[in-house]
Amino acid sequence: MVSHRLIIGERFSDNRGSLNFFNAFDMSEITRLYEIEPIDKNVIRAWQGHQYEKKWFHCISGSFVINLIKLDNFEMPSNNLVSTRFLLEAKKPSVLEISGGYANGFKANEKNSKLMVFSNFDLEESKNDDFRYDLKTWPAEW
């Protein structure tokens, strides 16, 4: 099972404009999607974890830093866990796939950045698999 991976998209441009595409992105597991637009680039949304829910993140405008923490225990995770950092940019099409078992956090790097999030759980399933931790629980480079 994939724990996390970056699916690199491609970009085609001609005199009519540009097209981003993700031929390696299998969307068959996805049951819902939502878009996040932070009020400004100082907001850090962290840490939210899911034991079973799988997520995919795609930056559709601007750029985002996303940090992941592989959790060792959902009720009382260790404070010394190390984050893995990703940079998603709209101008470099990619999708970050994250399996259950992780906490994530993200921050926009630019004004008017937007993040599209896909999930394999419906809203009720997600609420029942939702774990929140204080931003200061783990250090991360934002």
Side-chain angles (χ1 to χ4, degrees):
M1 176 171 104
V2 170
S3 59
H4 66 273
R5 71 180 173 134
L6 192 60
I7 303 166
I8 304 299
E10 296 181 57
R11 184 174 181 89
F12 172 79
S13 297
D14 66 13
N15 63 326
R16 300 167 293 172
S18 298
L19 172 71
N20 292 340
F21 53 96
F22 304 90
N23 292 335
F25 181 22
D26 178 3
M27 299 177 72
S28 61
E29 294 179 73
I30 295 170
T31 58
R32 70 185 173 99
L33 65 94
Y34 51 96
E35 181 182 298
I36 297 171
E37 183 176 3
I39 194 163
D40 63 43
K41 62 184 190 172
N42 297 313
V43 174
I44 299 173
R45 294 176 64 125
W47 297 100
Q48 178 179 350
H50 295 285
Q51 199 164 8
Y52 305 107
E53 183 178 3
K54 192 172 180 180
K55 299 264 181 123
W56 295 262
F57 294 93
H58 170 58
C59 178
I60 57 176
S61 177
S63 64
F64 283 86
V65 168
I66 299 178
N67 279 289
L68 305 180
I69 301 279
K70 176 69 173 164
L71 296 176
D72 56 354
N73 181 311
F74 277 81
E75 300 302 327
M76 298 272 308
S78 300
N79 289 332
N80 60 355
L81 300 175
V82 178
S83 66
T84 303
R85 184 180 191 268
F86 294 89
L87 176 63
L88 298 185
E89 300 174 275
K91 65 183 177 186
K92 295 179 182 177
S94 61
V95 174
L96 178 59
E97 177 180 343
I98 307 165
S99 71
Y102 284 83
N104 69 74
F106 51 87
K107 176 186 171 297
N109 283 339
E110 303 171 43
K111 186 178 179 182
N112 300 320
S113 292
K114 293 181 183 178
L115 189 65
M116 182 70 70
V117 183
F118 303 89
S119 171
N120 69 331
F121 276 25
D122 67 30
L123 190 55
E124 283 305 310
E125 290 172 314
S126 182
K127 287 178 183 177
N128 292 325
D129 187 39
D130 188 50
F131 296 83
R132 304 285 174 127
Y133 309 97
D134 187 86
L135 173 62
K136 294 181 175 86
T137 304
W138 302 286
E141 183 184 341
W142 301 107

